[in-house]
Amino acid sequence: MSTIEIMAHLVMGFPRKEATTESARALADRGVRILELQIPFSDPTADGPVNTRACETSLREGFRVAHAGEYIRSVQEMGFTEVHVMTYANIPFRFGFDRYLRTMKDLGVTGVIVPDLPIEDDEGFYASAGIIGIDALPVAVPNMGASRIKLMQGMNPNRIYAALREGVTGRSTGITDDAKQFLTSLAGPKIYAGFGISSAEQVSDLKGYAYAAVIGSHITRAIASGPDWYDQVSRAIEQCMPDT
Amino acid sequence: MGKYFGSYGGQYVGEVLKPALGELEQAMTDIIPSGEFQREYQYLLKHFAGRPTPLCFAENLTKMMGGAKIYIKLEGMAQTGAHKINNALGQVLLAKYMGKTHVIAETGAGQHGVATAAAAAKLGLECTVFMGAVDVKRQQPNVFLMKQFGAEVSTVQEGSRTLKDAVNAALKQWVEDSSRTSYVLGSALGPYPYPDLVRTFQEVIGRETRSQILEAEGTLPQQVVACCGGGSNAVGIFSAFLDDPVSLTAVEAGGRGTGRGEHAQRMSGQGEMGIIEGYKSFFLQDEEGQVLHTHSISAGLDYPGIGPQLAYLGETGRVKFTRADDRQALDAYQLLARKEGLLCALESAHAAAVTLTLASDMDKKEIIIMNMSGRGEKDLFITARELYWEQWQQFLLQEAKG
């Protein structure tokens, strides 16, 4: 495999709705085909400072979970081949897990990611997703150990979200041999590998090991840097695109 | 016990935290029951923390209320001024046995931070305490004390910049560095095994109280009352009476009103079930699941969630939940000082307010025990502001001028 997709991550409503739609448009215009939208939560335990502050700002500026559908519909028209939705357990829990999964499926969402619903403590979320017919992406990390990887593979996921660095989002990651070995151990499903990616070199390094490289905090930082969201996000994503 | 109390508890954490929590669970099972650990822990409780703490008969208040005999468990007599030291010592010692060289902790009011910093100093481990920027600002005396114990205080600028954000920051730091670091959580909540671990180290409050009342009165009390933030002092004292015919009452912060953000009543107010910060329990949250701000005059009760075991005991009716507001807590604080010579922490003053009301409706032959989880010196800057403002303001201005 010599190609790799980019999955770009946007926090809904940061710093307001137009920022999300303009950023998504910039990404689509630059050829990004996979988008991950985050529904802001008040206590985002797996996010680093950059996306945590983005969630806060979005909520303070009036983002409501009830608006999520509009955001998803507005990016659907831009030509992305996959749209994924990420949030924390309490949001779908309050909404109702099955209702959440059905709503996402009806909105045409490809996959959902809920980092604080690990296998075994997932309230049946992954099984329900299978029944309803939407992908719920389990999160794999390098320190998880062979027995938990086996448990994850036992669920036969179509897609896995792989966090390359032990820790939270937003700090720079070198794609080490250990990371490559870890990604190889997950072989089978489509792997979306992320955490701390901000350069074309990192993305290039992942070729052959992941289906998509996830660019998150790097884009959030670009959005935060000024009001010209379209241009800022265009520049940020271009920095991450390998030449070929 | 296990991972769940009824449907509450669990381990809803990112996969990255699983190995560290697994290691802690293993240590809890293997190390804590061992003779070596227990000998050292009990030695520290006695000769460092100052246990057993007294169970004091409040004769004047008993006469004044004209009802049940009122006893007060003086947890505030323990080293660093509150029950928090029982758990801090236990967890820091456990970290040492696990071969860790560094502990981290979250703190709101600063009590758990101070206790952990003291325990780490005593046991020779490095200590970093995470504290929200808002709390750092309003709790400078405790920041100073933690630094005297050699701890680093890391200011958290995210979210509401209070306790819950300090918890998030501490968890993130732990993930980065779990090979040499242990996370010492301060209340009986969070992901499994913390609710079990913290209760295990706080059960000493109930064990002592039970044998002390049997010695003093030859019989068990009818009522035990404790204040309840996260719930570690409550679950600690209640644990020894769960199988007895003893009524257990937990008092939440009624704050300054019943509106959103004005109180911290999870069980006696508008709390709803949620999955937040690694555990399932009752939380103050909006319809969409976003965590709400809370208010209490006592920083230790000012928290949107409650420990899963207490949520379960509340649901089954074994523990009754009620409230006391800011004003009632201040009144009880003053009454305990004047009638019993006890300076009560504002958290515990919530329990005192309810204890006095309950006592007056009980028979003279009956017994009620309240847990004074902490002593009140730490609240000087709050109580003096509320009760002694003019002179206090002059004093502060004069001190600031130097």
Side-chain angles (χ1 to χ4, degrees):
Chain A
M1 202 185 356
S2 61
T3 61
I4 186 160
E5 297 283 341
I6 283 178
M7 174 156 91
H9 178 113
L10 296 174
V11 175
M12 291 184 187
F14 171 68
R16 53 176 195 265
K17 184 158 192 258
E18 304 83 72
T20 308
T21 41
E22 283 190 36
S23 302
R25 203 177 307 282
L27 293 164
D29 289 350
R30 293 296 168 290
V32 171
R33 299 196 298 175
I34 309 176
L35 193 66
E36 180 190 16
L37 290 173
Q38 175 169 2
I39 301 176
F41 178 52
S42 54
D43 292 61
T45 41
D47 279 296
V50 173
N51 280 337
T52 299
R53 274 196 280 272
C55 287
E56 273 164 45
T57 305
S58 172
L59 289 169
R60 198 174 49 238
E61 296 298 316
F63 176 86
R64 307 274 299 155
V65 177
H67 302 157
E70 292 167 36
Y71 280 82
I72 295 164
R73 273 189 293 269
S74 71
V75 302
Q76 293 285 27
E77 305 155 356
M78 297 179 191
F80 294 102
T81 55
E82 298 178 18
V83 175
H84 298 265
V85 176
M86 177 264 184
T87 193
Y88 288 87
N90 202 47
I91 300 297
F93 177 70
R94 291 285 290 173
F95 195 78
F97 283 129
D98 282 8
R99 186 177 158 224
Y100 178 80
L101 289 164
R102 280 201 193 90
T103 305
M104 289 299 154
K105 185 184 156 73
D106 292 347
L107 284 162
V109 167
T110 308
V112 291
I113 302 153
V114 185
D116 54 344
L117 283 180
I119 313 162
E120 286 180 317
D121 281 278
D122 67 334
E123 304 258 317
F125 187 72
Y126 298 98
S128 296
I131 294 163
I132 288 163
I134 182 168
D135 281 340
L137 282 69
V139 179
V141 296
N143 68 340
M144 74 192 288
S147 65
R148 294 217 27 107
I149 289 183
K150 211 170 161 190
L151 204 62
M152 182 174 288
Q153 284 166 336
M155 303 182 348
N156 292 317
N158 295 319
R159 297 174 161 87
I160 287 178
Y161 194 107
L164 293 180
R165 197 179 44 78
E166 291 177 27
V168 294
T169 58
R171 295 215 329 233
S172 128
T173 306
I175 313 298
T176 60
D177 288 344
D178 283 353
K180 289 174 182 169
Q181 204 172 1
F182 159 67
L183 292 171
T184 309
S185 75
L186 302 174
K190 285 181 176 170
I191 295 167
Y192 299 68
F195 281 52
I197 296 177
S198 59
S199 73
E201 194 189 350
Q202 289 170 311
V203 173
S204 223
D205 263 7
L206 282 171
K207 279 185 193 169
Y209 296 95
Y211 165 73
V214 185
I215 319 284
S217 313
H218 180 63
I219 296 175
T220 306
R221 267 192 293 267
I223 294 172
S225 68
D228 302 320
W229 302 304
Y230 184 94
D231 293 342
Q232 289 153 207
V233 169
S234 297
R235 276 196 298 276
I237 202 67
E238 277 164 5
Q239 290 164 3
C240 299
M241 293 191 143
D243 292 335
T244 50
Chain B
M1 298 285 169
K3 216 168 176 181
Y4 287 88
F5 305 92
S7 47
Y8 306 102
Q11 200 178 68
Y12 303 90
V13 295
E15 190 68 37
V16 277
L17 266 178
K18 283 270 180 186
L21 289 168
E23 188 189 354
L24 187 65
E25 184 187 344
Q26 196 64 46
M28 184 172 83
T29 321
D30 295 347
I31 297 172
I32 294 177
S34 73
E36 198 191 348
F37 180 90
Q38 281 301 325
R39 268 190 300 279
E40 192 169 354
Y41 180 54
Q42 296 306 329
Y43 180 89
L44 287 166
L45 284 182
K46 185 173 175 186
H47 299 285
F48 175 69
R51 304 206 70 90
T53 58
L55 180 69
C56 171
F57 176 46
E59 195 175 354
N60 300 327
L61 282 175
T62 299
K63 277 188 191 143
M64 183 184 151
M65 303 315 292
K69 285 187 178 174
I70 301 169
Y71 277 85
I72 305 179
K73 177 66 170 166
L74 301 183
E75 276 302 292
M77 298 283 283
Q79 176 72 288
T80 66
H83 73 293
K84 293 287 184 191
I85 194 70
N86 306 328
N87 169 57
L89 265 180
Q91 283 196 54
V92 175
L93 186 64
L94 185 63
K96 194 173 178 180
Y97 274 67
M98 289 165 76
K100 310 289 181 185
T101 56
H102 179 218
V103 290
I104 55 175
E106 83 296 342
T107 200
Q111 289 310 106
H112 173 58
V114 169
T116 305
K122 175 73 180 163
L123 294 168
L125 277 77
E126 289 170 56
C127 178
T128 306
V129 180
F130 291 85
M131 195 168 182
V134 171
D135 289 329
V136 167
K137 221 169 172 179
R138 66 186 176 189
Q139 304 287 345
Q140 267 303 322
N142 276 337
V143 174
F144 170 72
L145 294 181
M146 287 184 266
K147 289 183 172 172
Q148 295 314 297
F149 289 127
E152 185 201 336
V153 179
S154 178
T155 305
V156 180
Q157 300 288 359
E158 278 83 42
S160 57
R161 294 160 188 83
T162 59
L163 180 58
K164 72 181 180 71
D165 311 289
V167 173
N168 286 342
L171 284 171
K172 287 168 191 177
Q173 174 64 36
W174 194 30
V175 165
E176 304 257 330
D177 196 19
S178 63
S179 58
R180 73 171 194 111
T181 298
S182 205
Y183 176 28
V184 177
L185 207 152
S187 198
L189 43 72
Y192 179 75
Y194 282 109
D196 268 4
L197 185 62
V198 177
R199 189 205 54 250
T200 300
F201 290 130
Q202 293 295 2
E203 280 173 351
V204 63
I205 310 172
R207 270 200 309 275
E208 281 179 13
T209 305
R210 197 172 193 282
S211 69
Q212 285 167 324
I213 196 68
L214 285 173
E215 193 186 315
E217 293 283 346
T219 179
L220 289 174
Q222 278 65 45
Q223 268 280 3
V224 176
V225 183
C227 66
C228 184
S232 69
N233 94 86
V235 81
I237 194 166
F238 292 164
S239 63
F241 300 98
L242 285 175
D243 299 328
D244 297 319
V246 176
S247 299
L248 306 172
T249 301
V251 186
E252 298 185 294
R256 57 182 166 226
T258 52
R260 270 191 177 180
E262 294 185 332
H263 60 87
Q265 293 173 237
R266 293 71 39 99
M267 302 295 287
S268 56
Q270 304 115 348
E272 299 275 357
M273 211 196 282
I275 300 174
I276 296 167
E277 288 188 349
Y279 65 108
K280 189 197 277 187
S281 188
F282 275 80
F283 295 87
L284 288 167
Q285 54 181 314
D286 71 13
E287 305 72 27
E288 297 193 330
Q290 309 287 359
V291 177
L292 293 172
H293 288 255
T294 52
H295 164 80
S296 169
I297 192 165
S298 67
L301 303 185
D302 195 0
Y303 190 68
I306 183 170
Q309 188 172 6
L310 280 167
Y312 172 68
L313 292 169
E315 185 185 71
T316 61
R318 181 64 190 93
V319 172
K320 196 172 156 273
F321 281 82
T322 183
R323 66 190 286 276
D325 64 25
D326 289 354
R327 190 68 247 170
Q328 291 166 318
L330 275 171
D331 289 347
Y333 162 84
Q334 287 188 288
L335 198 58
L336 253 71
R338 282 173 200 169
K339 291 287 172 190
E340 295 294 339
L342 292 172
L343 270 188
C344 188
L346 284 174
E347 290 79 1
S348 321
H350 288 71
V354 168
T355 300
L356 296 174
T357 313
L358 287 172
S360 64
D361 290 336
M362 290 167 70
D363 190 271
K364 282 187 177 177
K365 280 182 231 135
E366 293 185 311
I367 298 163
I368 185 166
I369 299 176
M370 74 157 260
N371 191 26
M372 191 178 117
S373 55
R375 62 173 181 249
E377 284 87 343
K378 70 172 178 71
D379 296 321
L380 196 58
F381 283 81
I382 300 165
T383 46
R385 175 182 286 270
E386 293 287 333
L387 305 168
Y388 194 63
W389 178 231
E390 259 178 52
Q391 297 90 327
W392 189 247
Q393 189 184 30
Q394 275 174 20
F395 166 71
L396 292 178
L397 286 170
Q398 187 186 310
E399 285 294 303
K401 275 187 210 151

